[in-house]
Amino acid sequence: MLQTRARVFCIGTMIIFSSCKEQQSKSASHLQARALYDSAMNVVFEKHDHQAAIDLLNQATAIDSNYVSAYYSKLSLQMDLKEVDSALITAKKLRSLIPRMPDYAVTEGLLYEMKGDTISSAKCFEQASVLYDRLLDTMSTSNPSYNIFLMNKA
């Protein structure tokens, strides 16, 4: 029964993501945002200029405010630059876009901890634990991702 639910969940997720991907690929604005994202990645890898890449990612997300990959890359760069306040804003945006992703709650909690706000970080970690439990409950233990999520929960 649990495996059937997991299969239905996986199939449903694949359908949702593929339909979203179709809509995004047809959107001229997403293509513009994607070009900016690609430019940002080139700037990081070729020039190692994190701030210039963040500026390009800001332009990409201004065009497509649901562009998860751009926010995720921006968050990573902000954390590399130790821009905790900016990274926290980006982490919150990621959580609002994909609220069921426990890793984003953990990241937000770590950022609060870096700021010295242990109360907010504890709340984020508790929310992440609940999200991990929900995710693991829908997943077969033979799923390759199961152990990764289980380890992340710990």
Side-chain angles (χ1 to χ4, degrees), residues 37 41 57 61 67-79 90-91 93-94 97-98 101 103-104 107:
Y37 173 84
M41 296 302 98
L57 293 168
T61 56
Y67 197 173
V68 172
S69 296
Y71 283 111
Y72 185 80
S73 295
K74 179 179 165 182
L75 175 63
S76 179
L77 295 171
Q78 289 168 325
M79 290 177 74
T90 304
K93 178 63 178 180
L94 276 169
L97 291 173
I98 307 177
M101 175 56 82
D103 294 344
Y104 297 153
T107 302

Side-chain angles (χ1 to χ4, degrees):
M1 180 71 169
L2 191 57
Q3 287 181 337
T4 304
R5 276 197 232 163
R7 284 187 191 130
V8 169
F9 173 77
C10 288
I11 291 169
T13 303
M14 288 172 33
I15 291 168
I16 290 169
F17 278 99
S18 66
S19 67
C20 290
K21 190 167 179 86
E22 282 180 36
Q23 288 174 348
Q24 283 184 338
S25 65
K26 292 179 184 177
S27 165
S29 61
H30 180 74
L31 293 175
Q32 250 185 324
R34 177 60 195 246
L36 288 164
Y37 173 84
D38 291 342
S39 295
M41 296 302 98
N42 286 334
V43 166
V44 170
F45 294 122
E46 293 173 7
K47 297 180 181 177
H48 308 286
D49 188 345
H50 286 34
Q51 191 56 56
I54 289 171
D55 293 342
L56 290 166
L57 293 168
N58 283 337
Q59 292 176 43
T61 56
I63 293 169
D64 183 352
S65 62
N66 295 317
Y67 197 173
V68 172
S69 296
Y71 283 111
Y72 185 80
S73 295
K74 179 179 165 182
L75 175 63
S76 179
L77 295 171
Q78 289 168 325
M79 290 177 74
D80 279 351
L81 293 174
K82 309 282 190 259
E83 295 179 355
V84 177
D85 291 331
S86 298
L88 185 57
I89 292 167
T90 304
K92 288 180 180 183
K93 178 63 178 180
L94 276 169
R95 279 191 72 188
S96 74
L97 291 173
I98 307 177
R100 293 184 181 157
M101 175 56 82
D103 294 344
Y104 297 153
V106 170
T107 302
E108 188 176 335
L110 290 171
L111 289 164
Y112 274 121
E113 203 164 276
M114 290 170 73
K115 289 176 58 85
D117 185 347
T118 56
I119 293 170
S120 294
S121 69
K123 288 178 186 176
C124 290
F125 294 144
E126 179 59 34
Q127 291 167 355
S129 180
V130 169
L131 292 170
Y132 277 122
D133 287 341
R134 288 180 186 161
L135 187 63
L136 291 166
D137 286 346
T138 63
M139 197 177 284
S140 167
T141 56
S142 63
N143 185 317
S145 298
Y146 184 87
N147 287 329
I148 294 169
F149 284 120
L150 186 61
M151 187 172 66
N152 285 349
K153 181 184 176 202

